[in-house]
Amino acid sequence: MGWIGESVESIRSIQIRQLITQAVTFGLIVTSALIIWKGLMCITGSESPVVVVLSGSMEPGFKRGDILFLHMSKDPIRSGEIVVFNVDGREIPIVHRVIKVHEREDTGEVDVLTKGDNNYGDDRLLYADGQLWLHRHHIMGRAVGFLPYVGWVTIIMTENPIFKYILIGALGLLVITSKD
C-alpha cells in the first residue's frame, strides 16, 4: 500500500478522543514556547532576547546566520559594544557596533552612533530621515553570546517560503498520524 496509503488510512481511523488529545498536546507545546519566550524577555530585559544576523555587515565577527543572545541592562552603553537596534520606519532590527557615544550633560541621556564592522561608513544613512544618533529606546539589547550558523534555518524559511510550508505540513502530518 505504501507510506502515503498508510498515512491516509491512519488519518481516517482517528477517533474524536484521539483528535482532541492531539489538539490539546499541540496547544500545550505552543503555550510552553510562548511562556519560555516571555520568561526570556523578563530575564534579559530585551524585547527580543534572540536574533539572527541577516547580513554580512558584521563580518568577520558575526557571519550571516549566526544567532545572537541579547541582554539589556541599565548600564550605560559604551563604544565597542555590539548592539541590536530598531530604526523608525524599519521592521527588521540591525546588529552593529557602537563607534561613538555622546552623553548630554544637561539630561544625562546617551546618544549612540553605530557602524557595521564590514561597512565603510557609519550608520547615519540607515537611521530615519534627519536622525543623527540612536537613543536608548531604539536599542533592543547588547550581544552577550552567539551560536554560529544555527540561524540559517530561519533565513532559508524566510527567503524561500515553500520550505516553511513543507516543514509546517510535515509537522502537521506527523501530529495527525501519531498514535501516542
Side-chain angles (χ1 to χ4, degrees), residues 141-176:
R142 299 177 172 121
V144 293
F146 78 104
L147 199 56
Y149 307 114
V150 178
W152 271 104
V153 173
T154 302
I155 292 172
I156 289 169
M157 286 195 295
T158 302
E159 291 180 355
N160 305 309
I162 189 72
F163 289 117
K164 184 182 347 182
Y165 301 132
I166 290 171
L167 180 65
I168 290 171
L171 290 173
L173 190 62
L174 182 68
V175 166
I176 290 172

Side-chain angles (χ1 to χ4, degrees), residues 21-95:
T21 302
Q22 289 173 341
V24 168
T25 302
F26 179 73
L28 287 172
I29 291 169
V30 170
T31 303
S32 297
L34 289 172
I35 289 171
I36 290 169
W37 184 259
K38 288 294 185 182
L40 283 173
M41 287 174 65
C42 290
I43 291 168
T44 63
S46 175
E47 65 187 74
S48 183
V50 178
V51 294
V52 176
V53 178
L54 297 175
S55 74
S57 66
M58 282 302 292
E59 290 183 1
F62 297 117
K63 293 180 177 35
R64 188 169 191 242
D66 290 353
I67 289 184
L68 297 181
F69 301 102
L70 305 182
H71 186 268
M72 192 63 189
S73 64
K74 301 282 185 199
D75 298 336
I77 296 166
R78 297 291 170 222
S79 185
E81 289 185 315
I82 296 170
V83 296
V84 176
F85 59 92
N86 275 324
V87 175
D88 299 332
R90 289 183 178 238
E91 290 180 24
I92 299 173
I94 300 170
V95 178

